Amino acid sequence: MEQKEAKQQSFKVNAIFSIIYQVFKIIVPFITTPYIARVLGNSNVGEYSYAYSIVYIFITFASFGFTDYGNLKISQNRNDKYQVSKTFYEIMIAKGILTTLSILIYLVIIFTVYDFTQSLTLFLTLITFLISTLIDCNFLLMGMENYKTIAIRDIFIKLISTVLIFTIIKDNSMASLITYAAILGGSTLLSSLLICFSVKKHLIKVKIKDLKIFSCVKESTIFFIPLIVSSIYLNFNKTLIGLITNDNLENANYEQATKTINFVTTILCALNSLITSRIANVFAKEGYDGIRKKVEDVLHLIIAISIPSLIGVLLINNYFVNLFFGEGYEGTITLICYLSPNLITIPICYALLSSYFIPTNKRGKANVVNILIALVDLVLCVSLIPFIGSIGACIAFSVAEILQLIGFIILSKKDINRLKLLKISIKPVISSIIMLAFGILITYLTTQFVQNNLFMCIILVISCSTIYLILLYLLKDKLLIEQTKLIFSKIKKSKK
C-alpha cells in the first residue's frame, strides 16, 4: 500500500515538474525573442537562423532517434539495473561514433565551402551543440521517470542564459552575434554536462561482449525516420532559403514567422498531451471501441480551439509583429498569413498521432505519410524559393501539413467517423466566422482612438475570445456545455 502511494506521489511530482518546465520553455523565448530581434537586428537573426539550420542537420544524424529509443528501452527495464546499464552504454557508444563522424564532416564542410568560410567563427561556435549531443544522456533520466532533475536543471540553465543575454548582448555587431551563439550553445553543453552527474547511481559495470551496438542502431531507426522527416520541413526549409536566396532578411522573417506559429501550436499540442496521456492504457484494455469516444473528444477540443486561434492570429498579426519584433520585420506579417493554416493542421495531426496512431501501434503507417509529405515539402521549396523566396517555403510547409492531415484522416477512417468530425467542426467554424466579422468591426472602430499595438492586441484577444465563447454557448456546443457544467459542479463541491 505504501509502495503504491509512493508511486502515485512520484507520478504527481513528475507531472508537476513536467508542466512547470513546459510552461517555462514557452515563457523564456517569449521574453528573449523581442530583445534579440531588436538588438541583433534582422540581418544577424537571419544569419543565425541559417547557420543553426546547417548545424541541426548534423545534430539530427548524430542523435539518430536515440533519445526516444533509450527512453522506451529503459522505461521497460527500469527495475533491471544490468539491462538499464547495457542500454545506456550501447546508446552512448553508438551515439559517440555517429557524433564524431558528424563533427568531422561538419568541420570539413565549414572549412571548404565558401559560403560557410565567410562566417567561420559563427559555425565553429555552434559546434558546441554537436558536442552536447555527444554527451547528452537525458534519455536515461526520462526512462527512469526522473523528470524533476531534468526540469530543475534546465530551468536553472535557462535562467542563467537569459540573464547573460540581457546583460552581455548590447548591439548588432558580429561579436554580439558570436556571443549570442556561444551563450545558447554553451548553456546546452553545460546542461548535458550537469546531467552526467545524475546518471552514475543508475549504472553498473557491463561485460563488453554483451554490448550489441549494431542492434541498438538498427532498433533506433524507427525513431530516426520521423526525426529526419520533421527536420526536413521544420529546419531544412531555412537552409534552402539561405542557400538559394543568400539573403539574411528572408531567413529572419521566416524564423520569426515560424516562431510565432510554433508558439501557438505548442500551447495547443500541450493541451492535447494532458488529455491523451492515458489513451494507450485504455486501448490495451478495451480496444478501438474504448478509445473511439476519447479520440473524438480530443479532436473536438483541438478543433474548437485551433479554428478561432487561426482567426485571432490573423486579426492581431500586424499589431503583434510590430509590438513583438519591432522595426525591420514587416515581411514577417505576410509570412504568418501563409503559415496560418498550420494553426489548424498541426494540432489536429498531433492529436491524431498521439491519441490514435501511437496508442494503437500504427506509427509505421503515420511514418509513411510523414516521408511523403517531407518529399512534397522539399520539391515545393526547391521549385518556389528561387522565385518568391521565403513565401515559397511557407507555402510548401502549409501544403505539406494539409496533405499530412488528409493522409492521417484517410488512414484512420475505419476507426474515426469523418462525418462526425465534420459535424463537430460546424459550430466552431460558424462561431469563428462571426467572430472574424466582429473582430474586423472592433478593429475599425478602435483604431480611430487607440494607436498602441499592445492595447490593440489585448482588446482584440479579450473581445474576440468572449464573443466566440458566447456564440459557442448559444449554438449549444456539446463540449463547452459539458465542461461548463463540470466547472460549476466542482465549484459547488469546493464550497461545501
Side-chain angles (χ1 to χ4, degrees), residues 209-408:
K209 65 177 182 178
D210 289 343
L211 298 176
K212 296 182 171 93
I213 312 301
F214 180 75
S215 295
C216 172
V217 175
K218 186 179 178 181
E219 290 177 34
S220 297
T221 305
I222 193 170
F223 298 96
F224 174 64
I225 291 171
L227 187 67
I228 190 67
V229 165
S230 63
S231 174
I232 288 174
Y233 64 89
L234 292 177
N235 291 282
F236 195 57
N237 285 11
K238 298 174 187 176
T239 307
L240 290 173
I241 291 170
L243 288 172
I244 295 171
T245 67
N246 200 27
D247 186 347
N248 288 333
L249 182 57
E250 289 284 335
N251 238 324
N253 285 325
Y254 185 79
E255 171 74 17
Q256 307 298 33
T258 52
K259 197 173 287 183
T260 303
I261 297 298
N262 288 342
F263 175 76
V264 181
T265 55
T266 298
I267 296 171
L268 293 173
C269 291
L271 286 172
N272 172 62
S273 296
L274 291 172
I275 296 167
T276 60
S277 60
R278 302 277 177 178
I279 287 182
N281 187 42
V282 175
F283 174 73
K285 293 177 181 178
E286 303 175 28
Y288 291 110
D289 293 332
I291 68 165
R292 191 171 285 115
K293 175 67 168 60
K294 292 183 181 296
V295 173
E296 287 173 358
D297 286 344
V298 169
L299 291 172
H300 191 165
L301 176 69
I302 296 300
I303 290 167
I305 298 175
S306 61
I307 295 174
S309 295
L310 184 152
I311 301 297
V313 166
L314 292 177
L315 284 170
I316 68 168
N317 185 12
N318 185 46
Y319 307 109
F320 177 80
V321 170
N322 289 323
L323 169 70
F324 201 66
F325 301 115
E327 294 181 5
Y329 296 94
E330 291 77 16
T332 301
I333 298 170
T334 304
L335 298 189
I336 288 174
C337 293
Y338 283 103
L339 287 171
S340 61
N342 296 318
L343 292 168
I344 295 175
T345 54
I346 290 177
I348 296 177
C349 283
Y350 184 82
L352 285 168
L353 185 66
S354 60
S355 64
Y356 175 73
F357 287 102
I358 293 176
T360 58
N361 300 315
K362 293 185 177 181
R363 185 165 187 165
K365 290 183 178 181
N367 281 348
V368 172
V369 175
N370 288 335
I371 291 168
L372 291 174
I373 64 112
L375 292 173
V376 169
D377 175 81
L378 193 60
V379 170
L380 286 175
C381 275
V382 173
S383 304
L384 296 175
I385 291 174
F387 301 101
I388 50 178
S390 53
I391 291 176
C394 291
I395 292 171
F397 191 4
S398 295
V399 169
E401 286 294 342
I402 290 169
L403 292 176
Q404 183 184 40
L405 178 57
I406 293 170
F408 279 7

Side-chain angles (χ1 to χ4, degrees), residues 462-481:
I462 293 174
S463 60
C464 289
S465 299
T466 304
I467 290 164
Y468 178 73
L469 289 172
I470 291 171
L471 288 167
L472 267 190
Y473 194 81
L474 291 174
L475 291 171
K476 296 182 179 179
D477 182 77
K478 185 181 176 183
L479 183 67
L480 180 64
I481 291 171

Side-chain angles (χ1 to χ4, degrees), residues 87 96 107 123 181 202 225 255 263 288 329 374 420 432 453 493:
T87 300
L107 288 171
F123 280 102
H202 299 293
I225 291 171
E255 171 74 17
F263 175 76
Y288 291 110
Y329 296 94
K420 197 168 184 179
S432 297
N453 289 321
K493 285 181 181 179

Side-chain angles (χ1 to χ4, degrees), residues 416-477:
I416 298 174
N417 191 326
R418 288 176 290 177
L419 192 62
K420 197 168 184 179
L421 282 182
L422 190 63
K423 190 177 178 181
I424 285 171
S425 306
I426 291 172
K427 291 174 183 178
V429 168
I430 292 171
S431 301
S432 297
I433 291 171
I434 297 172
M435 183 189 83
L436 174 62
F438 270 97
I440 293 170
L441 180 62
I442 290 166
T443 302
Y444 175 74
L445 296 173
T446 310
T447 48
Q448 298 182 41
F449 310 100
V450 179
Q451 301 299 320
N452 186 284
N453 289 321
L454 176 60
F455 287 157
M456 283 302 300
C457 286
I458 293 171
I459 290 167
L460 284 169
V461 168
I462 293 174
S463 60
C464 289
S465 299
T466 304
I467 290 164
Y468 178 73
L469 289 172
I470 291 171
L471 288 167
L472 267 190
Y473 194 81
L474 291 174
L475 291 171
K476 296 182 179 179
D477 182 77

